[in-house]
């Protein structure tokens, strides 16, 4: 097979707690990550040259070495030079549906799809754990994007413990197209403002990690208790994003007035999502939000919670 098409779902954070600093400059996190049915499509084709070429349906997405999909392919070429010599480079085509700078791991999931696709393209037969180890070199959210579903993520975000998958709930996602938030900025600002609350030592770190594993949100998820989950949604990064981006804070306030299970910002923003019980309820919320905020800059999407990460769309034989 010389080409593969993959579906790369976005994620939301049902829970994001910053628990401390790390020697590598990143943060120790305790998160609960959830895949959703809003996805990019990635087409990969062995091009028989020594180049990695990338193009994207959205002109705002960089089609160069800064693209995480490109970085994933470059990493594969570096790790598996024999395969690179044998099959050559790849053409990566990204059909973008996940908004950028949104806290939905759009770039990370594209990179995850490139890793999964190149493993197939080059017949490497890597295990899921091997793919996730490569994924962690690209970015903190990339390992989760490979397998997806519902998972507790600790460390930088790369240590994953899958939990009960949630498939019957929906989210309404809302994002101002003109507001994209830098993840680097969000974490740096958090460090500047909240360093005093970070874990003091390794015992404190372990205790805080443990609290999430045994915590109320995990229990609510295991009982598939949407109402309780809605109450327990949490994201520390709201504390730095909302003061710096008032429209995002206002968007959450507006959404919180509607009849949902709960409302929260995803990742470092700028997406705010509402958790709801059905597609029908999601459509009602979408309509109500449209009539409350008549701003063309506001994008609104509906997506189900899903139990998978990267999947094959349809192989194209030659
Ligand atoms: O890993 P990734 O490149 O996606 O992370 C983007 C930025 O987010 C990092 O450069 C860092 O500033 C911040 N970050 C962090 N701690 C994490 C994950 C991300 O400080 N666990």
């Amino acid at each position: 097979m010389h080409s593969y098409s993959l579906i790369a779902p976005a994620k939301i954070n049902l829970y994001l707690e910053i628990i401390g600093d790390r020697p590598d400059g990143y943060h120790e996190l305790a998160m609960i990550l959830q895949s959703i049915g809003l996805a990019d499509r990635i087409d990969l084709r062995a091009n028989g040259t020594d180049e990695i070429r990338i193009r994207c349906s959205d002109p705002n997405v960089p089609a160069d070495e800064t693209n995480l999909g490109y970085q994933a392919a470059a990493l594969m070429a570096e790790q598996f030079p024999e395969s690179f010599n044998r099959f050559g480079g790849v053409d990566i085509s990204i059909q973008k549906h996940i908004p950028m700078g949104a806290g939905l791991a759009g770039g990370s999931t594209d990179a995850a799809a490139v890793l999964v696709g190149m493993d197939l393209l080059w017949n490497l037969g890597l295990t899921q754990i091997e793919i996730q180890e490569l994924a962690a070199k690209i970015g903190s959210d990339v390992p989760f994007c490979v397998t997806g579903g519902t998972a507790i993520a600790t460390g930088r975000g790369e240590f994953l413990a899958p939990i009960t998958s949630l498939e019957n709930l929906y989210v309404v996602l809302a994002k101002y197209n003109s507001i994209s938030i830098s993840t680097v900025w969000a974490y740096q600002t958090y460090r500047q403002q909240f360093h005093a609350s970070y874990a003091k030592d390794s015992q404190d770190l372990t205790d805080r990690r443990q609290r999430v594993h045994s915590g109320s949100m995990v229990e609510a998820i295991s009982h598939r208790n949407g109402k309780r989950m809605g109450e327990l949604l949490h994201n520390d990064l709201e504390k730095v994003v909302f003061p710096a981006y008032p429209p995002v804070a206002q968007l959450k306030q507006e959404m919180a007035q509607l009849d949902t299970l709960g409302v929260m910002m995803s990742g470092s923003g700028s997406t705010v999502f509402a958790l709801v019980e059905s597609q029908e309820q999601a459509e009602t919320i979408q309509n109500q939000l449209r009539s409350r905020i008549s701003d063309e800059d506001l994008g609104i999407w509906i997506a189900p919670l899903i139990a998978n990460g990267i999947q094959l769309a349809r192989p194209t034989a030659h």
Side-chain angles (χ1 to χ4, degrees):
M1 207 79 76
H2 297 291
S3 69
Y4 283 94
S5 298
L6 302 114
I7 303 296
K11 64 90 183 136
I12 53 168
N13 298 77
L14 297 174
Y15 189 93
L16 191 165
E17 185 183 343
I18 298 174
I19 58 182
D21 250 334
R22 291 167 56 96
D24 61 10
Y26 281 73
H27 285 88
E28 279 292 329
L29 303 177
M31 300 189 284
I32 299 173
L33 301 172
Q34 173 64 55
S35 300
I36 58 171
L38 172 67
D40 291 343
R41 183 193 165 105
I42 313 292
D43 291 297
L44 286 180
R45 182 179 294 273
N47 63 24
T49 75
D50 59 358
E51 277 181 70
I52 295 161
R53 299 187 294 225
I54 187 155
R55 64 196 162 94
C56 183
S57 60
D58 181 344
N60 296 315
V61 176
D64 57 24
E65 317 81 68
T66 63
N67 187 298
L68 293 184
Y70 181 101
Q71 289 176 21
L75 177 67
M76 292 297 273
E78 180 198 304
Q79 297 279 319
F80 304 101
E82 279 174 23
S83 301
F84 185 49
N85 285 337
R86 183 161 156 220
F87 297 100
V90 281
D91 285 346
I92 304 168
S93 167
I94 305 175
Q95 233 174 72
K96 203 77 201 148
H97 300 291
I98 306 170
M100 288 171 64
L104 299 175
S108 297
T109 196
D110 295 349
V114 170
L115 296 177
V116 171
M118 286 182 71
D119 172 51
L120 295 170
L121 209 54
W122 288 358
N123 259 320
L124 295 168
L126 298 176
T127 63
Q128 207 156 65
I129 289 174
E130 286 168 333
I131 295 178
Q132 285 181 323
E133 277 167 10
L134 293 168
K137 295 179 196 285
I138 310 285
S140 309
D141 285 339
V142 187
F144 169 76
C145 292
V146 173
T147 43
T150 311
I152 302 172
T154 50
R156 268 169 60 208
E158 82 282 32
F159 292 124
L160 299 169
I163 47 177
T164 322
S165 61
L166 292 162
E167 284 175 277
N168 294 323
L169 298 171
Y170 280 74
V171 279
V172 180
L173 307 150
K175 177 186 182 287
Y176 287 106
N177 294 316
S178 62
I179 304 181
S180 292
I181 297 172
S182 151
T183 304
V184 177
W185 169 85
Y187 279 100
Q188 275 174 359
T189 309
Y190 194 90
R191 180 181 281 118
Q192 282 160 15
Q193 294 182 13
F194 295 101
H195 198 263
S197 70
Y198 285 15
K200 309 280 175 286
D201 51 42
S202 62
Q203 185 58 49
D204 194 7
L205 263 182
T206 310
D207 292 348
R208 291 194 195 198
R209 260 188 228 125
Q210 192 54 37
R211 229 180 286 155
V212 180
H213 271 271
S214 56
S216 323
M217 179 58 115
V218 175
E219 198 184 317
I221 292 171
S222 70
H223 291 109
R224 297 200 161 89
N225 184 341
K227 187 167 176 295
R228 186 82 184 112
M229 284 171 56
E231 290 163 6
L232 293 168
L233 296 170
H234 176 83
N235 185 348
D236 274 338
L237 290 173
E238 286 191 344
K239 289 183 243 170
V240 290
V241 171
F242 285 177
Y245 295 89
V248 183
Q250 283 154 19
L251 178 58
K252 185 181 176 191
Q253 269 173 21
E254 286 289 343
M255 291 172 79
Q257 285 171 42
L258 305 174
D259 181 24
T260 71
L261 296 170
V263 178
M264 190 58 47
M265 185 178 80
S266 185
S268 53
S270 61
T271 303
V272 178
F273 69 87
L275 190 64
V276 296
E277 250 153 344
S278 64
Q279 175 154 5
E280 195 186 5
Q281 193 190 1
E283 284 164 7
T284 306
I285 297 296
Q286 182 178 36
N287 292 336
Q288 288 171 341
L289 197 56
R290 271 270 168 257
S291 55
R292 273 174 179 253
I293 308 177
S294 60
D295 185 340
E296 292 204 342
D297 192 35
L298 185 68
I300 308 179
W301 299 261
I302 290 175
L305 305 191
I306 60 170
N308 60 272
I310 306 304
Q311 287 201 317
L312 230 38
R314 73 182 157 77
T316 45
H318 293 271

